[in-house]
Amino acid sequence: MLEYEEIVNFIQKSCWMLDEEDFDGFLSLCSKDFQYKITAFSPELNKEMIWMDEDYEGLKNLLGMVPEHLTRLGKFTRHVTIGQTLRGNEEIIIKSSFIAVHTDLNGKSNIFGVGRYNDKIISRDKGVFLLSREAHLETRDLGIGSHVPI
Amino acid sequence: MNYENTIASKRKSSLPDTHFVNGSVYTNKAIFQKEKEKIFFHTWHFICHESEVLRKYDFRTISFLGQPLIIIRGGDNKIRSFLNVCSHRGAKIIHAPSGNSKKLTCFYHLWSYNDRGDCISIPRENGYDNSNLKKNLCGLTELKTDVFMGMVFISFNEKIMPLNDFIGDSLSSFKNTLCSGKLEVFHYSKSTIKSNWKAWQETNLDLYHEWMHVLLRRTQINAGSMKDRKVQIMPNGHAVVGGLKAKYGSYKGINDRKTTKALPGLSSEDFFFVDLFPNFAILARGTAIRIDVVTPIDENTSLVEWRGLGIKDEDPKDRRLRWKHHNQYWGPFGRNVPEDAFAAEACGEGFINSASRYQIIAREENGTGQDDGMLRAWYKEWSKLTNVNINKP
Ligand code: FES
Ligand SMILES: [Fe+2]
């Protein structure tokens, strides 16, 4: 059984790897049946929306293409606060709040988006893996947007 | 201008007048004022899709150049739009972005209006007897509103030409799709970008910039479909671009869409689009449609709104796939739209303090390939309406 401290370290690691754009590192934390989603609710349409929806392979391919894209310059920093952990038989559901701050090349930081992560992780012989992550955004005006998962 | 730029001047003098746009066209406050008056408060503008006000008394509130608007479907099924400001003390009445209500009641002193904008109740009304205030003159200000292929357009100009005449045949390539009665908006997002509104619209007019998008290099340019492109310049500043097919499988991470459910009237590899003057673009990719509109907040800041159209009441599995198709290109985390927004902001940085003096719109490829003809035609219409010369403003 995973200790709470291990859970915190794992979630923090997953965010720091995305912060550093260490996509291989991030993918190494994901199980092969990983599902990633970015969602948001539109009060204009009164509908839930899915803004990004990829499985492990899809995400791997898209992340592999990021260096070829014209991406937002600077760096994201994901500030995560774990709110709840719910332990099932094998899986643990972790609900966290996040604030993603973007710092531009001049060192100026701005809030990019706020929301919640809904993560599912599993501890296997070979280590801890992310089974799924849903990043639900409250922020819907994302300026020029982004090519990378939040 | 604080300093001379002789290199830029020399380059400019080699070009025909129609083939460059002076930088102050993007930054000058007086020109921006003219644009508001002669373009935005003059002509027709897309405001929402009819599916956003599907049932009787459904409403949407939208801010258009700082004017709070409410668009409501009346009990008679007609879609009307009004200034969303109370006739009493001017408060914005409805604050929710969408909803359903037979009666629009102002929160402040509870004056109420019906679906036709009539003022229907004033609490303690007899307090106005002495001053002779007439309730029938207290209705909301109605704007000209019309629907074309399911898209709701408004105009602040009572004398504007009919919407049918304004659009003409420009949207005929979308007819079978948009008139199928099967579409609804399933995606909505908006962004504030730091640039003049025209810099965004130019991303929809500038065919040459496909090189910027690795996704388009792979699925369109390298896929060899560029030669099939047809551009038609239409009346009133509109333009139609068709003929391209996309090879989605050529980009790692985007699946082939051959076997997937295309929208009515489309095949899954179709890619074409129409720009309506001044600020509207509609793009079809077999399985999803994107509509975007850009409106200025001020001369250096713009609001871009994106809508995705898909099939109404479709199976959740199909919807999920459609979201994916739409958003892999056009979502806020898509492969394409963030790059366009980056480009619009980068041009903003060039122009805002005149480091860049003008931009070149001089490509000629017989109206096909990556010709700048769409940009030139757009600016011709812009000049006609504003009476501003694009190179000697
Ligand atoms: S301002 Fe609306 S009722 Fe007074
Ligand atoms: Fe583009």
Side-chain angles (χ1 to χ4, degrees):
Chain A
M1 183 143 126
L2 281 182
E3 299 289 326
Y4 184 73
E5 190 185 356
E6 289 173 291
I7 297 173
V8 173
N9 287 346
F10 179 79
I11 296 297
Q12 192 60 62
K13 193 156 128 194
S14 74
C15 293
W16 279 345
M17 279 178 161
L18 285 176
D19 287 356
E20 300 307 325
E21 301 206 351
D22 175 1
F23 299 136
D24 291 339
F26 177 76
L27 286 165
S28 74
L29 303 180
C30 302
S31 78
K32 293 288 177 284
D33 50 356
F34 177 62
Q35 294 285 332
Y36 180 79
K37 265 192 204 168
I38 300 175
T39 56
F41 177 78
S42 164
E44 294 86 2
L45 307 177
N46 201 19
K47 283 187 176 82
E48 283 291 341
M49 300 178 288
I50 306 178
W51 282 354
M52 195 173 200
D53 185 8
E54 297 294 342
D55 58 15
Y56 181 89
E57 271 311 304
L59 197 62
K60 189 177 158 195
N61 287 331
L62 290 182
L63 291 175
M65 285 301 293
V66 167
E68 297 200 41
H69 278 273
L70 173 67
T71 51
R72 187 189 265 267
L73 304 171
K75 193 181 169 184
F76 285 106
T77 320
R78 294 157 180 82
H79 297 258
V80 189
T81 309
I82 292 181
Q84 284 182 342
T85 55
L86 302 160
R87 288 170 194 266
N89 281 347
E90 285 192 299
E91 303 164 5
I92 306 172
I93 293 171
I94 302 142
K95 294 176 191 246
S96 329
S97 306
F98 69 83
I99 301 175
V101 173
H102 183 261
T103 304
D104 69 17
L105 295 180
N106 297 311
K108 216 175 180 172
S109 300
N110 277 302
I111 290 180
F112 172 75
V114 304
R116 281 192 190 160
Y117 289 135
N118 200 343
D119 292 334
K120 216 184 260 178
I121 67 169
I122 191 161
S123 175
R124 291 180 182 142
D125 306 340
K126 286 186 195 145
V128 186
F129 295 95
L130 260 175
L131 289 174
S132 64
R133 168 166 291 174
E134 179 188 344
H136 183 85
L137 275 166
E138 288 301 326
T139 309
R140 286 171 289 117
D141 181 338
L142 297 168
I144 69 165
S146 165
H147 285 85
V148 295
I150 198 63
Chain B
M1 228 69 77
N2 296 324
Y3 59 96
E4 275 304 308
N5 183 337
T6 49
I7 295 173
S9 305
K10 254 191 221 157
R11 186 168 59 227
K12 184 169 79 174
S13 54
S14 69
L15 289 169
D17 275 1
T18 46
H19 287 43
F20 64 92
V21 184
N22 196 295
S24 59
V25 159
Y26 299 91
T27 54
N28 183 288
K29 279 199 190 330
I31 293 178
F32 177 59
Q33 198 49 44
K34 261 196 189 159
E35 287 180 327
K36 284 210 275 189
E37 197 184 311
K38 307 283 187 192
I39 297 177
F40 284 100
F41 293 128
H42 167 81
T43 190
W44 287 103
H45 295 280
F46 171 88
I47 201 76
C48 68
H49 185 259
E50 63 181 359
S51 66
E52 293 169 65
V53 285
L54 191 62
R55 296 164 307 150
K56 288 177 182 173
Y57 310 111
D58 275 356
F59 66 78
R60 279 279 280 116
T61 62
I62 289 170
S63 170
F64 177 84
L65 272 93
Q67 306 293 301
L69 305 181
I70 181 156
I71 295 88
I72 183 163
R73 187 185 287 269
D76 57 356
N77 252 319
K78 193 169 151 40
I79 298 171
R80 297 179 177 83
S81 48
F82 304 97
L83 289 181
N84 182 14
V85 288
C86 187
S87 308
H88 179 220
R89 294 272 185 85
K92 176 171 158 184
I93 306 168
I94 304 295
H95 292 249
S98 68
N100 181 285
S101 181
K102 263 189 189 170
K103 206 163 83 171
L104 308 172
T105 301
C106 178
F107 65 94
Y108 206 177
H109 313 86
L110 311 189
W111 285 29
S112 292
Y113 306 88
N114 66 13
D115 55 330
R116 296 176 186 219
D118 307 321
C119 180
I120 50 167
S121 103
I122 294 179
R124 292 170 59 87
E125 195 180 340
N126 51 12
Y128 292 113
D129 286 353
N130 280 349
S131 56
N132 204 23
L133 182 82
K134 302 254 187 319
K135 190 157 78 185
N136 65 348
L137 296 180
C138 290
L140 302 177
T141 302
E142 186 168 354
L143 305 178
K144 248 181 132 62
T145 308
D146 207 348
V147 181
F148 192 95
M149 294 190 186
M151 297 180 292
V152 184
F153 287 75
I154 56 146
S155 175
F156 285 77
N157 178 1
E158 287 173 8
K159 296 194 197 98
I160 190 66
M161 67 176 94
L163 181 62
N164 277 332
D165 297 350
F166 173 71
I167 295 175
D169 295 328
S170 295
L171 287 170
S172 50
S173 50
F174 279 91
K175 192 164 176 235
N176 294 337
T177 316
L178 293 179
C179 298
S180 65
K182 292 189 175 142
L183 301 190
E184 69 169 358
V185 177
F186 72 103
H187 167 89
Y188 178 86
S189 62
K190 59 181 170 185
S191 284
T192 308
I193 59 167
K194 292 184 274 319
S195 196
N196 182 265
W197 68 278
K198 295 189 288 303
W200 174 263
Q201 189 60 13
E202 284 167 4
T203 68
N204 288 318
L205 294 160
D206 168 357
L207 302 173
Y208 190 35
H209 88 278
E210 274 159 337
W211 294 103
M212 170 179 77
H213 299 296
V214 57
L215 180 53
L216 301 188
R217 288 202 300 273
R218 298 271 163 99
T219 60
Q220 282 168 208
I221 299 178
N222 297 352
S225 72
M226 208 51 55
K227 59 183 188 317
D228 303 321
R229 173 176 272 156
K230 294 181 201 74
V231 178
Q232 274 173 280
I233 304 298
M234 306 299 282
N236 301 322
H238 313 320
V240 177
V241 181
L244 290 187
K245 299 273 177 204
K247 303 247 180 321
Y248 293 101
S250 325
Y251 178 99
K252 209 172 175 196
I254 297 210
N255 293 336
D256 236 318
R257 297 180 180 181
K258 273 185 191 140
T259 54
T260 51
K261 292 179 184 174
L263 296 176
L266 300 178
S267 77
S268 54
E269 291 175 321
D270 276 342
F271 173 54
F272 55 87
F273 64 99
V274 173
D275 289 331
L276 294 183
F277 186 87
N279 64 341
F280 169 97
I282 180 163
L283 292 79
R285 288 192 178 276
T287 52
I289 282 178
R290 152 186 159 196
I291 291 177
D292 69 63
V293 281
V294 57
T295 46
I297 293 167
D298 59 37
E299 67 276 23
N300 300 319
T301 323
S302 311
L303 182 75
V304 189
E305 289 173 275
W306 293 273
R307 285 171 171 80
L309 290 178
I311 306 269
K312 237 183 249 173
D313 301 321
E314 66 188 329
D315 181 271
K317 249 173 59 196
D318 292 341
R319 171 57 57 91
R320 199 167 157 188
L321 190 65
R322 210 173 298 285
W323 258 317
K324 189 161 163 168
H325 285 184
H326 179 276
N327 288 334
Q328 280 183 333
Y329 268 74
W330 299 325
F333 293 88
R335 306 294 100 180
N336 251 40
V337 153
E339 294 174 337
D340 290 316
F342 182 100
E345 288 201 344
C347 290
E349 274 195 74
F351 284 115
I352 196 158
N353 287 310
S354 312
S356 179
R357 302 289 159 101
Y358 57 89
Q359 61 148 313
I360 299 170
I361 52 170
R363 293 184 63 76
E364 295 190 18
E365 295 188 47
N366 292 323
T368 174
Q370 297 178 326
D371 194 297
D372 283 338
M374 281 167 74
L375 283 160
R376 289 190 290 272
W378 191 93
Y379 272 106
K380 200 168 155 193
E381 184 70 12
W382 183 90
S383 281
K384 194 176 102 191
L385 293 181
T386 55
N387 214 6
V388 174
N389 187 327
I390 57 166
N391 34 65
K392 292 183 205 76

